[in-house]
Amino acid sequence: MSMGVVEHLGVPAAPEDSTLSEVELEEGASTTLIENRNGSNNNNTNSDVPDNANGNSKVLKRLETVPDIKRDTSGITTQYITAGIVNLGAFAAGVCIAWSSSALLNTTTEMYSDQESDVIRNHTDTHPKLMLSPIEASWVSSLLCLGAVCGAVPTGLISENFGRKKTLLYLALPLLVSWILVASSPNVYGLYVGRFVGGVAVGAFSVGIPPYIEDIAERHLLPTLANFYHVHFSCGVLFGYICGLVNSTSWLCFLSASVPVAFFVAFIFIPESPAYLLSQGKNSEAKAALQYFRGIDNDVKAEIKALKEHTLNYAKNRVTFKELFTTRTNVKALIVSFGLMIFQQLSGIYPVLFYAEKLFKTFTISLTPPGASIILGFCLVSSTYFSTMLLKKVRRRVLLLFSFLTMSLSLGSLGLYYHFKASNASINSTWIPLFTLCTFVSVYAAGVGPIPWLMLREIFPPHVTRRATAITVGFHWFLAFGVTKLYQNLVNMVHPGWALWHFAVSSIVGAIFVYFFVPETKGKTLEDIQNEFDGIHKGKKHRHVIELESISEG
């Protein structure tokens, strides 16, 4: 799940000759501390730093006390490290997704005989007497997504008023509480509450992290840093599958809980978003924060001016949720966004990730289910990592069509394999289920996964994007809840093979939707895309060149 490469956001760079009056520092210990850490930049930009030897020595002395991260004079390393730290929230979300794959395999009664169930009770130190029915297990999995709906929708408004950093930082608390509830609950209702509370944090991370990255990243780094969310999310899924090797639910919860703790400890030292500080009138703190992310040798005055103009324009043009549904171009853009999210979820990605070990056990492959899940997670991570380069070279529609059709072929082949296996017990292959599911998650990560999130930033105007994102992300998690919850009911009704074919057919319909309704956005301006939504097709201008020969008379 993913929020994707962002190419059309960010504050436009101001011209080099832009001028801005020097921002005076506010009094106060915290502001002074920030300025002292970044004051070394002022040897080139501030007139209050003397040019004599004494002044330079003071600057050099302050440089000696600056942490190593600030010795990166360009600020690029600082931005990469900060993006890595804040996306530990995405990593924690991925761990929450993968948890059910390992934990529910040890607590679901349907999958074992009575004798095997007794063995599990003796070797599982958490909930030794708590065994879940398949329906209860489906609720434990899907309630995470329902909680994400409740966390995603209001997070944008909360972060605008409470602060981007504070909103993200305090999300570690409900995530930690959720793992404590899951590890210590004596009944299934405690699991329900724990998973729902964790889901609130997961949904909030999916909405809160991308704007913070947008605020701190330079324009040329933004596409790469924005993709950190998907990479960290995939790494979290892989980490959760690896933790499943411990075969102990309490240790699994303990290892999972260590991630939000690490996020809180690391992120507490990172400054607040400069754009948010400017919106609150904290000019000096905004300058200090921006200086932190740009490096000690860069002049940030022009960028501060551009940020101020961007903040003013955003405040003037801000739209309400009601206005979002009254403009023709916005409505068509919402239809495209919602349609992509519908078919993204109907492709079955979350049932595959939530029930990976159960799926591998269903096909009775020779590999252990945790080992096969780790291979699946590695394919997801590697494909997500290389998707950024792919998105720079290949058109969006081509990737979406290829991704949907290949996912359909993979799941259709796996469903066919299941029916052959059910009719002929002698068919028992490890590589067919593993290869088809690895292909499925790989092409998902290359197209259907990131592109819907990327197009959110390409088809909406900047002042509409955050409202549209909040609605679309909430809709995404609601769909994920419905598909994950109903998957078990579908399996009980028609068996796994038919369930896989259902996802395969949905992927084909998704490809049809892309072909007829989704515009190509790569290489196009926002005006071009909105003209296409309005039905305005501007043809190429043809120039008739007439060569005139000058004949000079002798």
Side-chain angles (χ1 to χ4, degrees), residues 150-170:
C150 300
V153 175
T155 298
L157 293 175
I158 293 173
S159 64
E160 287 182 6
N161 294 280
F162 190 56
R164 311 238 199 282
K165 177 186 174 180
K166 289 180 181 178
T167 302
L168 291 172
L169 189 66
Y170 294 143

Side-chain angles (χ1 to χ4, degrees), residues 284-331:
S284 60
E285 293 182 28
K287 181 187 176 184
L290 189 61
Q291 192 77 68
Y292 178 90
F293 295 118
R294 295 297 178 263
I296 59 177
D297 284 348
N298 290 328
D299 183 3
V300 299
K301 291 187 295 183
E303 193 168 355
I304 284 287
K305 181 179 180 180
L307 271 174
K308 284 184 177 181
E309 293 175 355
H310 177 79
T311 302
L312 290 174
N313 290 334
Y314 179 78
K316 290 179 182 178
N317 299 322
R318 182 183 299 181
V319 298
T320 64
F321 286 108
K322 182 179 179 181
E323 293 171 341
L324 189 61
F325 293 94
T326 57
T327 306
R328 178 187 175 89
T329 54
N330 289 340
V331 171

Side-chain angles (χ1 to χ4, degrees), residues 463-514:
H463 63 280
V464 177
T465 301
R466 291 185 180 176
R467 292 286 188 270
T469 299
I471 295 176
T472 307
V473 172
F475 184 64
H476 161 87
W477 285 113
F478 180 77
L479 290 169
F481 163 72
V483 173
T484 306
K485 176 66 187 73
L486 296 177
Y487 169 74
Q488 188 60 54
N489 301 75
L490 187 62
V491 168
N492 293 339
M493 290 173 58
V494 297
H495 303 298
W498 288 102
L500 293 172
W501 277 348
H502 167 76
F503 293 140
V505 172
S506 298
S507 297
I508 293 177
V509 178
I512 296 172
F513 174 81
V514 170

